[in-house]
């Protein structure tokens, strides 16, 4: 994701949204049911829940949610823990010594990554492992400690108790939400809200819940658009009702680089899991309502060939450009459809249908086989195929395998095969490089197969998507090759990315003496190391029966108890 370069858009007209159709009302009632026992909502909020007719809030006004979540509501944590089918860290049955040793190696890598972050960059967003200092960046609107929040659940699952306590202490004492800057709604949601929610569900520590809810409220003004589709950038500053000229008014706007003020599919389509849990924990349906509205608008809008383009206007609700990608700009939207259904304990049939239809269209129009027999997912620009796959798109092997489990007998094997073929192609993109790590994008044209052809696409920034697919494929097939491939990745990370003070991305995967980019991404701790660790765990550690992983690998519980029709 890039920086916002445009000035804030003019305030949206304060008109009421079109009358909500019956299906929206039903969906919102379902979302409200999921939020648990009825909260003592204020009359104004009730109107929002029932119809959505008064959904649009003035951009500078006090958010209804701020009032609502002050109402006493207690989430029954003990009841939630009793509803889990497996202990979160598993039962530890006997296992072979090699698997255990490999898991311990990955745990050591996590400790190394954390210790160096703590020593040189605690409180900054990421570690710069070569220069041994911190990086703040501009995605999080003044929030700090992205690596702390992203690492919490991985530290906990790996039983790095002391390190987990260090991270928790930082959240308690130093995590300041009183900031005033421009943040990516998507990044704050997947890393901070996702990380805090997961830490709360795993430990029951109230501090994680209260921070998640407080931060969630700060994101709500982004949804004040005519369609309810949020804008991509939000100012996290206090919403000041006294001054129309307040520079910190919770205003939102679109990324300057996104065409014609549009919102991005992978951004506004990647809120559902976290926002439903914000409602679950607060008793306030407003979060679920916001996320459900986006899903509903997407379900209704006409789709070219059944495909979802990456840019949509939050004002008109129409597509702005016909670029379709299962990699960057589109990716996690598809992931959240199938995971929304799983997280609802298979009740959200609308999300499932949208996923099934989208996958059918993707398979029909985008899935191709190379001359050398590698299956890949191309990108689509107004009907013309670009025979390229991004590293980001490699999550799709795992997603398709996860969905295959629920595709019905006749489709199940077909989708498992497709998932295996895509994962194999992504593995090839690693195997064909000199470092055994994969490039940012690889192509299938002019005689090239699964390799980057452009200098600008040769880098690897510690991304997780390929090992993420290995983890799902292992859990769903138990084919030992996925553990072998995961171990190849561990060895390559150790050889090429481990430096004196942490792990760094590399600029060219096609040389055995790569230069480093001096950045230990927070998702390396949240995702890459977590998925690798889980690959060498028994299946009951963060069991897929109990948990869905958000797109930053933060585990959120399946709602076994509350989402009852
Ligand atoms: C992560 O922040 C998330 O996985 C997101 O969905 C995509 N990009 C990075 C990792 O590559």
């Amino acid at each position: 994701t890039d920086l916002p370069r445009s000035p804030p858009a003019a305030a949206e007209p304060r008109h009421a949204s079109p009358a909500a159709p019956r299906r929206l009302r039903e969906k919102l009632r379902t979302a409200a049911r999921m939020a648990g026992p009825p909260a003592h909502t204020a009359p104004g909020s009730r109107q929002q829940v029932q119809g959505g007719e008064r959904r649009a809030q003035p951009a500078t006004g006090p958010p209804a949610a701020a009032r609502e979540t002050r109402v006493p509501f207690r989430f029954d944590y003990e009841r939630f823990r009793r509803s889990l089918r497996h202990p979160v860290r598993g039962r530890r049955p006997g296992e072979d010594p090699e698997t255990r040793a490999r898991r311990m190696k990955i745990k050591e890598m996590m400790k190394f990554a954390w210790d160096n972050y703590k020593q040189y960059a605690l409180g900054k967003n990421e570690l710069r492992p070569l220069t041994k200092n911190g990086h703040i960046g501009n995605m999080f609107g003044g929030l700090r400690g992205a690596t702390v929040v992203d690492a919490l659940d991985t530290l906990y699952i790996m039983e790095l108790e002391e390190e987990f306590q260090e991270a928790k202490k930082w959240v308690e004492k130093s995590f300041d939400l009183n900031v005033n800057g421009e943040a990516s709604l998507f990044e704050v949601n997947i890393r901070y809200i996702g990380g805090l929610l997961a830490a709360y569900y795993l430990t029951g520590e109230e501090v994680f819940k209260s921070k998640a809810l407080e931060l969630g409220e700060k994101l709500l003004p982004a949804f004040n658009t005519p369609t309810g589709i949020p804008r991509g950038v939000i100012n996290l500053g206090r919403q000041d009702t006294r001054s129309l000229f307040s520079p910190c008014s919770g205003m939102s706007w679109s990324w300057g680089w996104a065409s014609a003020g549009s919102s991005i599919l992978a951004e506004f389509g990647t809120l559902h899991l976290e926002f439903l849990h914000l409602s679950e924990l607060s008793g306030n349906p407003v979060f679920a309502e916001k996320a459900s509205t986006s899903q509903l608008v997407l379900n209704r809008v006409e789709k070219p060939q059944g495909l979802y383009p990456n840019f949509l206007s939050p004002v008109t609700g129409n597509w702005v450009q016909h670029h379709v990608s299962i990699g960057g700009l589109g990716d996690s939207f598809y992931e959240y459809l199938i995971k929304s259904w799983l997280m609802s304990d298979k009740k959200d049939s609308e999300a499932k249908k949208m996923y099934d239809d989208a996958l059918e269209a993707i398979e029909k129009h985008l899935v191709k086989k190379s001359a050398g027999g590698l299956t890949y997912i191309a990108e689509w620009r107004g009907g013309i195929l670009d025979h390229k796959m991004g590293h980001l798109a490699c999550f799709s092997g795992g997603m398709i395998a996860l969905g295959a489990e629920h595709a019905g007998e006749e489709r199940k094997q077909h989708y498992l095969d497709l998932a295996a073929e895509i994962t194999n192609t992504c593995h090839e993109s690693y195997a064909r490089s000199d470092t055994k790590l994969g490039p940012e994008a690889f192509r299938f044209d002019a005689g090239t197969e699964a390799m980057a052809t452009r200098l600008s696409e040769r880098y690897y920034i510690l991304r997780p998507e390929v090992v993420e697919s290995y983890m799902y494929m292992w859990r769903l097939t138990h084919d030992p090759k996925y553990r072998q491939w995961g171990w190849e990745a561990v060895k390559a990370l150790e050889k090429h990315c481990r430096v004196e003070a942490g792990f760094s991305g590399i600029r060219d995967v096609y040389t055995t003496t790569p230069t480093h980019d001096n950045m230990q991404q927070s998702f390396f701790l949240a995702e890459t190391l977590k998925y690798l660790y889980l690959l060498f765990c028994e299946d009951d550690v963060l069991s897929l029966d109990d948990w869905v992983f958000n797109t930053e690998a933060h585990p959120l519980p399946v709602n076994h108890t509350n989402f009852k029709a």
Side-chain angles (χ1 to χ4, degrees):
T1 311
D2 206 343
L3 284 175
R5 291 192 203 103
S6 61
E12 295 297 349
R14 290 186 185 184
H15 63 76
S17 61
R22 189 153 30 98
R23 289 191 55 215
L24 172 59
R25 286 197 292 273
E26 279 162 14
K27 202 166 167 52
L28 296 180
R29 269 198 288 273
T30 308
R33 260 205 313 276
M34 188 190 174
H40 306 262
T41 40
S45 67
R46 203 66 210 150
Q47 286 167 333
Q48 285 188 336
V49 174
Q50 287 180 340
E53 291 89 346
R54 304 228 177 147
R55 176 175 40 71
Q57 299 273 332
T60 52
R67 295 193 303 270
E68 290 163 13
T69 48
R70 280 189 213 114
V71 175
F73 170 84
R74 196 183 148 270
F75 173 75
D76 189 341
Y77 184 78
E78 294 311 319
R79 179 165 169 248
F80 150 69
R81 286 303 292 243
R82 286 196 302 275
S83 77
L84 293 177
R85 293 172 182 171
H86 307 270
V88 291
R89 294 193 280 205
R91 282 196 183 79
R92 336 265 159 121
E95 62 187 338
D96 68 281
E98 183 183 73
T99 302
R100 185 174 188 284
R102 289 182 171 185
R103 193 171 68 240
M104 288 304 116
K105 174 64 201 168
I106 296 158
K107 179 173 173 175
E108 183 278 327
M109 293 164 76
M110 179 70 186
K111 181 166 167 50
F112 182 69
W114 169 260
D115 284 348
N116 280 291
Y117 167 77
K118 186 186 69 175
Q119 181 169 356
Y120 298 113
L122 184 64
K124 303 290 194 305
N125 284 323
E126 283 111 357
L127 165 69
R128 288 193 173 280
L130 295 187
T131 44
K132 300 184 182 170
N133 59 346
H135 173 257
I136 290 175
N138 44 27
M139 285 189 308
F140 305 120
L143 293 173
R144 300 284 191 269
T147 294
V148 180
V149 179
D150 249 357
L152 278 164
D153 53 14
T154 311
L155 294 171
Y156 181 82
I157 285 301
M158 292 185 180
E159 300 178 65
L160 286 162
E161 305 292 353
E162 204 179 300
E163 293 76 6
F164 174 79
Q165 291 304 330
E166 291 161 358
K168 183 183 140 200
K169 191 166 149 212
W170 186 87
V171 172
E172 282 169 339
K173 301 249 181 307
S174 310
F175 185 33
D176 183 9
L177 299 185
N178 268 325
V179 294
N180 175 24
E182 297 157 6
S184 157
L185 171 71
F186 166 78
E187 297 289 356
V188 169
N189 178 56
I190 67 169
R191 300 194 201 207
Y192 284 93
I193 305 259
L196 291 164
L197 288 172
Y200 172 69
Y201 280 116
L202 291 172
T203 66
E205 299 278 1
E206 289 291 314
V207 62
F208 301 130
K209 181 176 83 176
S210 61
K211 296 277 186 193
L213 294 177
E214 198 183 326
L215 191 49
E217 285 185 9
K218 284 173 172 281
L219 301 182
L220 291 176
F223 294 81
N224 293 340
T225 66
T227 58
I229 298 278
R231 297 189 182 281
V233 189
I234 170 122
N235 187 306
L236 294 179
R238 187 171 60 87
Q239 292 166 59
D240 191 339
T241 51
R242 289 162 305 177
S243 167
L244 282 175
F245 303 103
S246 166
C248 50
S249 56
M251 286 181 76
S252 66
W253 55 95
S254 302
W255 295 108
W257 47 265
S259 45
S262 53
S263 295
I264 293 162
L265 182 68
E267 297 199 333
F268 68 81
T270 308
L271 302 164
H272 208 89
L273 303 183
E274 297 82 1
F275 273 52
L276 259 65
H277 276 292
L278 291 175
S279 282
E280 172 87 2
L281 294 181
S282 64
N284 185 344
V286 69
F287 302 103
E289 177 206 339
K290 300 293 183 197
S292 300
T293 301
S294 291
Q295 187 174 308
L296 192 74
V297 170
L298 283 169
N299 193 24
R300 272 208 311 250
V301 67
E302 199 180 319
K303 293 160 262 294
Q305 320 268 12
L307 296 166
Y308 289 82
N310 291 336
F311 298 99
L312 186 119
S313 164
V315 176
T316 64
N318 293 324
W319 305 115
V320 175
Q321 238 189 36
H322 281 187
H323 172 217
V324 177
S325 161
I326 198 144
L329 305 178
D331 49 10
S332 42
F333 158 67
Y334 305 97
E335 176 185 355
Y336 271 36
L337 289 178
I338 187 68
K339 289 182 176 177
S340 290
W341 180 71
L342 290 168
M343 200 181 83
S344 71
D345 210 11
K346 305 177 191 167
K347 302 289 192 299
D348 187 352
S349 49
E350 180 177 89
K352 175 72 159 55
K353 168 117 182 52
M354 287 170 76
Y355 172 80
D356 287 343
D357 292 349
L359 184 57
E360 204 178 307
I362 286 166
E363 199 176 355
K364 185 163 171 202
H365 299 290
L366 308 184
V367 172
K368 298 283 158 201
K369 198 165 265 212
S370 70
L374 296 179
T375 301
Y376 62 96
I377 308 184
E379 298 194 358
W380 191 84
R381 291 172 199 277
I384 313 258
L385 285 185
D386 189 1
H387 296 270
K388 154 192 164 191
M389 223 176 137
H391 193 288
L392 289 166
C394 285
F395 84 98
S396 60
M399 175 188 75
I400 293 168
L402 190 63
E405 286 291 293
H406 313 279
E409 266 323 299
E410 75 292 358
R411 302 298 286 159
K412 179 175 170 177
Q413 194 54 50
H414 170 75
Y415 281 133
L416 269 181
D417 292 345
L418 178 61
E421 286 173 31
I422 290 168
T423 305
N424 178 60
T425 299
C426 292
H427 173 253
E428 284 300 313
S429 79
Y430 277 47
R432 293 174 190 211
S433 81
D434 297 22
T435 54
K436 306 298 171 210
L437 294 165
E440 179 67 4
F442 45 93
R443 292 180 183 265
F444 299 86
D445 49 24
T448 299
E449 299 233 341
M451 289 183 73
T453 53
R454 302 177 186 184
L455 277 178
S456 61
E457 293 171 344
R458 291 168 159 232
Y459 63 90
Y460 171 70
I461 57 168
L462 306 174
R463 285 198 192 278
E465 291 78 16
V466 175
V467 298
E468 172 181 351
S469 282
Y470 296 166
M471 193 282 291
Y472 282 107
M473 292 306 298
W474 163 256
R475 286 243 171 139
L476 298 166
T477 68
H478 291 134
D479 185 331
K481 78 179 174 205
Y482 297 112
R483 278 187 164 170
Q484 281 162 28
W485 292 354
W487 190 244
E488 285 168 15
V490 168
K491 286 192 290 184
L493 285 165
E494 282 286 283
K495 187 163 176 194
H496 299 293
C497 300
R498 188 171 180 135
V499 294
E500 191 191 322
F503 287 87
S504 168
I506 55 176
R507 296 191 196 282
D508 185 352
V509 296
Y510 299 111
T511 167
T512 47
T513 51
T515 52
H516 294 100
D517 68 6
N518 194 21
M519 182 68 80
Q520 179 175 279
Q521 303 281 349
S522 75
F523 53 68
F524 182 64
L525 292 86
E527 298 191 73
T528 313
L529 291 175
K530 185 187 287 130
Y531 285 131
L532 282 168
Y533 183 82
L534 292 176
L535 181 61
F536 294 97
C537 282
E538 294 298 313
D539 294 354
D540 60 356
V541 182
L542 290 181
S543 165
L544 298 179
D545 293 340
D546 284 327
W547 303 91
V548 292
F549 293 92
N550 90 338
T551 195
E552 190 78 359
H554 295 306
L556 299 174
V558 172
N559 210 303
H560 292 311
T561 49
N562 287 340
F563 202 101
K564 291 270 155 47

